[in-house]
Every structure is written in structure tokens, then in C-alpha cells.
Amino acid sequence: MRGMSRRPRVVQSGPISPILDTDRGRGLILMRALMDEVTVEQGNAGTTVYLKARIF
């Protein structure tokens, strides 16, 4: 598995909230900190987040 990568996907039926408060709003910050690549696509049906992480 050395040198391989995983590409999970997260789908949400609504928009991503840019508001950071004490109880929520840290998802994208954590994803960007932990993954090698994060792509966010927003559309009429909702939001899809594509993640990429290398496996060592």
C-alpha cells in the first residue's frame, strides 16, 4: 500500500456554514489540516467535499 492514496467524499444536503462558533464550524479547518487535498463543490442539491490523503 506504500505510495497509494485514499479519496473519500462527504456529501451534505445544504450549504456549508462559514460561521465559526463554540459548538460547530470546525469541519473544513480539520479536513484541510489533516488531508493532502480538499476540494469543495457547492450546487443546488447541496455540497460535496472531496478529500485526498496519501497512505504511507
Side-chain angles (χ1 to χ4, degrees), residues 15-36:
I16 291 179
S17 174
I19 299 169
L20 181 65
D21 64 27
T22 57
D23 295 324
R24 48 184 247 129
R26 291 177 182 80
L28 278 176
I29 294 169
L30 287 170
M31 286 183 255
R32 287 184 173 130
L34 298 170
M35 296 290 153
D36 295 309

Side-chain angles (χ1 to χ4, degrees), residues 8 15 27 49 53:
V49 179

